Amino acid sequence: MSRNKKYLMVYCIFTFCLLGVSFAPMSQAAPPAPQFLPGFPMLAGDQAMVMWMPIPTAKEYKVYRNGKVVNVTAGAQFFDPLGGAAGEYKYEISAVGTDGIEGPRSPEKVIRIVVLKTPKDLMVRRIEKSVSLRWESVEGAAIYNIYRAEKDAPAEYKLLTSVTGNFHGDSGVAMGKTYFYKVSAKDLSGKESSMSTVAMVRMEEVKAAEAEKQMVRRAKTAYVFKNGLDLVSGHKVDLRAVADVAITKDKVFISSTASKRVSVFNRETGGHLFDIGNKGIIPEKDQGWGFAVLSSMRISTDGKELFVSDYIEKKMYIFDTDGNRVGTFEPEQPAPPDKPTYVDKFDIDGEGNVWAVDSVNKKVRVHARNGKQLRTIGEKSGLNGPTFCRIDVKRDRFYVVDYRQDNKTGYAVFDLKGKFIKFFGEKGVTYGKFWSPSGFDVMENGNLVASDGILSVINVIDPVAGKVIYNLIDEDGKKVVQINSARGVRVDGERIYVASGMIDEVEVLEMVGSPYEKSGN
């Protein structure tokens, strides 16, 4: 064969191959991952609305919920009948081409359906001619309904407004009147929680002498731990929604439900030292000490350990005073017919036992350090709404704030064997009465320094006589000391540490002089 013929043959074969490749059918590329429309998926009543951008090359779409296909549709939407069941629902969408090839899934989007809880810690504060309200956020809430009344009776509460945040300012109030507020949470499906406990505000000052013979004692502000920049250390501290305060010989511990941490300060200088906890996304969870919702704190009687309760986790975390976690306290849950409970308000006795208030079952449970329940108290004392508590080891006494029926609000008194001794207190807004008693502590002489969260006054109580013996008044002797929504109270000699969740600070008061009678305005 001549050289030219050989070249011609090679050329023909090469050309045929090229033509063969050119005319071979091409496989279609898989469709791209669909993109959800802004705001979707979203809840609509008891179903999830899932919508996405259509893809021109898609024949149909597959809808995945929690990794499994729940629907195949030619349209770019799907209504998933969840039935309102609580849980976490993760959605992904993939597109299927005309050749049946499925493309990649979309980025995952999550819908969470939670059982709405009742808003807690509703706090109100008068600010000149308006009222400021604030409460703890509820997971799953889309809006909050605020109800107001001028009488604390169920039929009197009317819807005032609805808001999306956990705060509101009510300017539609009149001076000289008393207002009662409740808040509920509402989710996107329209379900509404029960109403919160009532919070009351009077649109007039608590005068220094509301009673004919009111005893007072002067107190000056020695120091204030504030939210924001700490000028001593240069650190930015987060004390939003302060929950409690605890003190040792050299440190001050302040817990914040908003930041989900305990901030630690130098007791002498007031400078910020370090934090225990985090901002809410809990990487420490694997180590077992990530906070969910901080509540009360206590220092052990030997001053070496800090106990911090977390009522969502139903346990307490134990730290040394340098912030190192040294243990966890998980109380034994009650046996039926009692309902499951959580750890909220508590104190620690001289033997290291934990006295935990069980507000669910209206009693107090005493646990050993390992969580084993030793005994319960209060069944025969008429406890109806126990909350804050304190142990006086020196005088063999246990005190617990109790909201009773028939206008009885005050303090139940037990010995440390659990024997009920007495109850004292009467609900009211005048001197010597209690409206919303909250945090308190025991003075060296056995008297109680007690806050009233809504009246914003600081009472000093003689628990033996069962009565208020004086209020704190400012250093000039003109106005009763008012700390709004005070929760945690700790006493150190003549100094009183008062934690306020409304104004995000802990004020340190120093009592001066002796009590005296203050009459007139």
Side-chain angles (χ1 to χ4, degrees), residues 6 53 61 96 127 157 159 183 193 213 246 252 276 315 341 369 386 401 437 510:
K6 287 182 180 180
M53 293 290 293
Y61 304 90
V96 180
I127 301 179
Y157 285 91
L159 179 63
V183 177
S193 73
K213 293 183 178 180
V252 177
I276 304 171
K315 65 177 69 171
T341 186
R369 172 68 178 256
V401 170
E510 186 170 328

Side-chain angles (χ1 to χ4, degrees), residues 213-282:
K213 293 183 178 180
Q214 178 180 353
M215 299 298 293
V216 294
R217 185 179 179 185
R218 286 186 170 91
K220 63 181 182 180
T221 300
Y223 194 82
V224 179
F225 296 91
K226 293 185 176 182
N227 181 55
L229 180 65
D230 171 35
L231 298 179
V232 178
S233 65
H235 300 167
K236 186 176 181 180
V237 297
D238 192 343
L239 300 183
R240 293 170 299 145
V242 168
D244 205 357
V245 59
I247 56 176
T248 63
K249 62 181 180 181
D250 61 347
K251 293 184 179 75
V252 177
F253 300 82
I254 302 174
S255 61
S256 160
T257 56
S259 69
K260 302 186 179 184
R261 68 176 69 176
V262 177
S263 296
V264 186
F265 299 83
N266 183 294
R267 182 170 167 178
E268 182 177 350
T269 67
H272 177 255
L273 299 174
F274 58 89
D275 290 327
I276 304 171
N278 51 77
K279 293 184 178 180
I281 299 174
I282 306 176

Side-chain angles (χ1 to χ4, degrees), residues 139-200:
E139 183 181 3
I143 62 171
Y144 298 93
N145 287 337
I146 302 173
Y147 297 87
R148 190 181 74 183
E150 295 183 21
K151 294 181 180 179
D152 187 17
E156 296 293 321
Y157 285 91
K158 307 298 181 185
L159 179 63
L160 176 66
T161 188
S162 299
V163 296
T164 56
N166 65 330
F167 56 89
H168 178 65
D170 182 10
S171 58
V173 292
M175 299 302 294
K177 289 190 175 183
T178 298
Y179 294 94
F180 302 86
Y181 295 89
K182 292 184 178 182
V183 177
S184 68
K186 200 170 185 178
D187 65 17
L188 288 172
S189 71
K191 293 178 181 177
E192 187 173 2
S193 73
S194 57
M195 291 187 187
S196 67
T197 55
V198 63
M200 181 274 288

Side-chain angles (χ1 to χ4, degrees), residues 403-420:
Y403 290 80
R404 300 198 169 197
Q405 298 175 348
D406 301 325
N407 218 36
K408 297 292 184 182
T409 297
Y411 300 81
V413 185
F414 302 82
D415 65 21
L416 296 187
K417 293 182 180 179
K419 179 183 177 182
F420 176 63

